[in-house]
Amino acid sequence: MIGYKAGAVLALVFSSLAALAQTPPPEPKVLRYAIRVAESGFDPVQISDLYSRLVTAGMFETPLQYAYLARPIQLRPGTAAAMPEISADFKTLTFRLKPGILFVDDEAFGGKKRELTAADYVYTIKRHFDPHWKSPNLYQLEPVGILGLNELRQEVLRSKKPFDYDRPVEGLKTLDRYTFQVRTRIGNPRFVYQFADPLMGAVAREVVEFYGDKIMQHPVGTGPWRLAEWRRSSRMVFEKNPNFREVLYDEQPPADDARLQAQAARLKGRRIPMVDRVEISVIEQNQPRWLSFLGGEADFVDEVPPDFASVAMPHNQLAPNLAKQGVQMIRYARADAWMSYFAMEHPLVGGYTPEKVALRRAISLGIDLDREITLVRRGQAVPGQGLIGPNTFGYEPGFKSEMSEFNRAKARALLDMHGYVDKDGDGWRDLPDGSPLVLDYATQPDGQSRALIEQWQKNMDALKIRIKFTIAQWPENNKASRAGKLMMWGLGWSASVPDGDDFLGMGYGPNAGQSNHARFNLKAFNEAYQRQQQLPDGPDRQAVMREAQRLLVAYMPYKIHVHRIFTDMAQPWLIGYNRNLFRRDFWQYVDIDGELLARQPGKGS
């Protein structure tokens, strides 16, 4: 017989096991938020828009990355085992990868685990040069002249033959399984930044060949996340990549930032990612996006809509009712510029002759930026003086130019002087040859875009210039713009690296169809752009960048409206949220306080 004490112990064990069996597993931690522009796809080589780059950055890894909390911005190894070896002339970069990094499982691998190797980065870089993929990011790689790659691309363009990925290229080699080397014709001290950009997210050749032209729909990377569900332009769900290696939270914030210091201390040593799922909705309209945050349906809102700035942050201070709830507020100037462009190849607004330049400058002078900032942007922006945005080398807070000038009398005088007058007596200005002058401005159906075009309408009415608006979704306008099919379009540009070169590239002639939406092509500007690329940071480079900006002001291919000031807000239960302007992926650095979330109305007992 089993003794009384032994029986009691067994009974206690069995009752404990029964209790455990009845205990439900912990609820998965889910990060939920909404973006305001639909994704275009998930192939790092084919995308360029901000939101697609954000989601791909969570799935695809780059050799380098930006430290999440470090200020000023710092590069550190990503998949690389250490920082690259860079030659004194900046023309040779050698990267060694960490062994044992695995891609997420996919049928393209035939049921086998697939390790990341140096050949994957060589293949990914080559894909940008393959004309088949029409990489909008090529402009970031082409100018340095990776030896042999530009020539291979030109040969493919001439022959119309498929790109030969197996052909040896002098400037791009694997030295061993985990080491690759890049050699360039031009030494650019800042070229290393590109290896932390999502465009360098490693893609396996087997995956591209397996899915072919549907690769935009099938992301397979080595990052902490995998795509679990997708309804195009509506909803994306990401889950942990079960193959992701052990990485522990170890961020080093500035010593004088108490908030970030406390955040880092709380999460130090935790394995990332810390949440189980990320659910992203596409909500283009500002009101429902803001209301989803207020209702606790979103864990944070990036870019609090300007429509609600006076309610959410009167006088740029967190509203008392939100502060009482424990809402977190992060305010920052993004490295961005919001602009309208004129298609320089369009017969109506394009061209470099005096009368064409005068038309663009007159339109610019007729735009009341103060009203736009006050009425549309609710004070959350500053007038743009040039193309280069804040928080990048080359931006000069004291730089002033005609770009922000509002002067209708001067605009009318320019138009009259160059023959843009009412020739048929209908009250509207015509072209110098007597044909109608009608601007066609591409825009989107969201509320802020409607408010912006209302300002355009009033400004052009005051100059007696007819303007019409063509409305489409943002991805459609982006595609049409890159194909050179739009006369004018308004868009924001956010730098992917902490350097003004990312903005000036929008005016570089060879970048037409990529970053250069206006298709501006001026010899003097192109030469200035090339000079600044090769100079080290310092007064000489700053002077050349200023010269390039002044050329853009003089010829006006872009009307720079504003540099925006953004405010993000996070729920009290979201731990670790911060804004790094150049680190697109952040999901793995945040956590959800389940107990605090459960205490919210409607969230638990």
Side-chain angles (χ1 to χ4, degrees):
M1 286 182 63
I2 299 175
Y4 171 77
K5 289 185 178 180
V9 170
L10 285 174
L12 180 61
V13 169
F14 286 128
S15 64
S16 299
L17 290 173
L20 284 172
Q22 294 173 6
T23 302
E27 288 289 322
K29 294 181 179 181
V30 182
L31 176 68
R32 304 154 304 155
Y33 70 105
I35 58 177
R36 60 187 179 85
V37 175
E39 77 293 342
S40 57
F42 306 109
D43 179 12
V45 170
Q46 296 186 74
I47 61 170
S48 63
D49 60 285
L50 177 63
Y51 292 101
S52 296
R53 288 164 72 92
L54 185 152
V55 296
T56 55
M59 296 183 286
F60 297 92
E61 292 188 286
T62 51
L64 305 179
Q65 59 183 216
Y66 293 100
Y68 183 54
L69 297 184
R71 302 293 181 274
I73 295 297
Q74 293 179 11
L75 280 177
R76 68 183 181 191
T79 57
M83 293 299 290
E85 297 174 10
I86 303 177
S87 63
D89 61 4
F90 301 102
K91 293 182 179 181
T92 303
L93 294 83
T94 305
F95 294 85
R96 291 180 175 83
L97 304 182
K98 300 168 185 171
I101 296 176
L102 298 177
F103 282 91
V104 67
D105 294 337
D106 190 84
E107 58 181 321
F109 300 134
K112 299 177 181 178
K113 296 293 182 184
R114 171 63 155 80
E115 186 185 26
L116 174 73
T117 68
D120 295 314
Y121 283 111
V122 168
Y123 175 70
T124 295
I125 294 171
K126 285 183 175 180
R127 284 189 68 218
H128 286 283
F129 287 80
D130 183 350
H132 176 79
W133 300 114
K134 300 180 175 65
S135 170
N137 305 299
L138 182 61
Y139 76 96
Q140 294 176 260
L141 303 175
E142 201 170 27
V144 296
I146 298 177
L147 299 176
L149 264 186
N150 289 344
E151 293 78 4
L152 177 56
R153 174 179 168 81
Q154 292 304 315
E155 184 178 315
V156 171
L157 287 170
R158 287 192 302 270
S159 68
K160 308 295 183 183
K161 293 180 180 179
F163 192 95
D164 185 359
Y165 286 93
D166 295 315
R167 177 168 155 180
V169 175
E170 182 183 355
L172 192 58
K173 296 178 179 179
T174 56
L175 303 185
D176 58 44
R177 182 173 177 81
Y178 301 111
T179 308
F180 70 96
Q181 188 175 80
V182 182
R183 296 175 58 215
T184 64
R185 179 174 53 85
I186 295 171
N188 183 335
R190 293 154 297 276
F191 182 53
V192 68
Y193 287 145
Q194 304 307 330
F195 294 88
D197 189 285
L199 72 89
M200 286 290 185
V203 180
R205 182 170 181 173
E206 306 97 292
V207 174
V208 177
E209 293 179 349
F210 186 83
Y211 292 109
D213 287 340
K214 294 183 179 180
I215 188 62
M216 283 278 267
Q217 305 167 34
H218 297 279
V220 179
T222 63
W225 303 98
R226 55 176 289 272
L227 182 65
E229 300 175 26
W230 181 35
R231 293 202 300 270
R232 184 182 290 276
S233 303
S234 175
R235 173 179 162 86
M236 292 166 278
V237 176
F238 302 87
E239 294 178 346
K240 288 182 178 180
N241 170 9
N243 291 343
F244 190 62
R245 61 199 177 279
E246 182 180 67
V247 179
L248 304 181
Y249 188 104
D250 185 22
E251 298 303 312
Q252 308 299 322
D256 60 353
D257 192 320
R259 182 183 70 86
L260 294 185
Q261 283 284 335
Q263 173 179 309
R266 182 173 182 179
L267 299 175
K268 186 175 178 62
R270 297 277 303 280
R271 182 169 181 169
I272 61 175
M274 293 173 275
V275 299
D276 302 297
R277 281 166 66 92
V278 180
E279 298 178 357
I280 303 177
S281 301
V282 179
I283 304 178
E284 296 178 336
Q285 301 297 332
N286 284 339
Q287 185 179 47
R289 190 162 60 90
W290 173 241
L291 291 178
S292 72
F293 174 74
L294 287 184
E297 297 169 10
D299 298 308
F300 74 94
V301 56
D302 62 333
E303 306 172 22
V304 171
D307 321 34
F308 303 99
S310 59
V311 176
M313 43 185 180
H315 308 295
N316 297 325
Q317 298 295 319
L318 184 63
N321 64 309
L322 297 178
K324 186 177 179 180
Q325 296 171 31
V327 168
Q328 307 166 63
M329 172 173 151
I330 301 169
R331 186 169 167 79
Y332 58 98
R334 181 176 281 176
D336 103 319
W338 203 95
M339 67 201 74
S340 298
Y341 77 76
F342 302 91
M344 294 298 288
E345 296 174 353
H346 194 281
L348 195 150
V349 297
Y352 300 84
T353 55
E355 73 278 6
K356 295 298 188 180
V357 174
L359 174 60
R360 295 191 297 271
R361 290 181 63 186
I363 292 170
S364 173
L365 288 164
I367 294 176
D368 189 343
L369 288 182
D370 286 343
R371 285 182 64 83
E372 177 180 321
I373 291 171
T374 301
L375 298 179
V376 181
R377 304 188 185 278
R378 302 298 198 274
Q380 305 304 302
V382 296
Q385 306 294 340
L387 183 58
I388 297 177
N391 294 302
T392 63
F393 182 88
Y395 176 73
E396 297 178 279
F399 179 71
K400 302 293 181 185
S401 75
E402 185 189 276
M403 188 65 77
S404 65
E405 183 179 352
F406 171 54
N407 190 329
R408 283 179 179 153
K410 189 174 177 181
R412 293 185 183 110
L414 263 177
L415 292 167
D416 292 344
M417 183 187 306
H418 290 274
Y420 296 96
V421 297
D422 178 12
K423 296 182 181 294
D424 57 10
D426 65 356
W428 296 97
R429 293 181 184 271
D430 298 302
L431 293 170
D433 65 3
S435 56
L437 170 55
V438 183
L439 304 179
D440 189 348
Y441 192 95
T443 186
Q444 291 75 237
D446 61 278
Q448 185 173 76
S449 294
R450 288 196 297 270
L452 286 168
I453 65 175
E454 182 179 335
Q455 292 302 309
W456 265 102
Q457 187 73 66
K458 290 178 179 178
N459 289 323
M460 293 304 99
D461 284 352
L463 296 181
K464 298 301 179 184
I465 294 177
R466 282 169 288 203
I467 185 169
K468 66 177 183 177
F469 303 97
T470 301
I471 299 174
Q473 297 294 331
W474 196 94
E476 296 171 32
N477 280 333
N478 189 43
K479 184 177 180 181
S481 178
R482 294 192 184 284
K485 295 181 179 179
L486 303 180
M487 180 194 294
M488 300 171 66
W489 185 32
L491 72 158
W493 186 266
S494 296
S496 58
V497 300
D499 192 82
D501 179 275
D502 211 16
F503 291 99
L504 293 180
M506 298 186 75
Y508 184 51
N511 291 348
Q514 300 175 67
S515 65
N516 187 351
H517 285 266
R519 296 175 177 262
F520 182 62
N521 193 9
L522 183 74
K523 184 173 184 272
F525 180 89
N526 292 342
E527 290 173 349
Y529 178 76
Q530 291 170 340
R531 285 203 309 277
Q532 65 82 27
Q533 278 205 320
Q534 298 175 52
L535 290 170
D537 290 350
D540 290 344
R541 183 171 184 244
Q542 184 77 70
V544 178
M545 296 175 90
R546 190 181 309 122
E547 173 192 343
Q549 289 219 93
R550 292 197 182 280
L551 288 169
L552 290 174
V553 173
Y555 283 87
M556 200 65 66
Y558 295 94
K559 164 62 178 178
I560 311 303
H561 291 241
V562 297
H563 302 302
R564 294 172 290 181
I565 299 170
F566 289 93
T567 301
D568 298 351
M569 291 191 183
Q571 301 287 6
W573 56 80
L574 183 61
I575 307 167
Y577 180 74
N578 189 55
R579 173 61 70 168
N580 184 316
L581 296 176
F582 305 103
R583 185 72 191 264
R584 303 304 187 197
D585 55 321
F586 63 91
W587 307 335
Q588 67 263 40
Y589 297 113
V590 301
D591 194 12
I592 303 291
D593 186 328
E595 292 184 5
L596 189 57
L597 176 61
R599 291 201 295 268
Q600 303 303 310
K603 299 294 182 181
S605 56

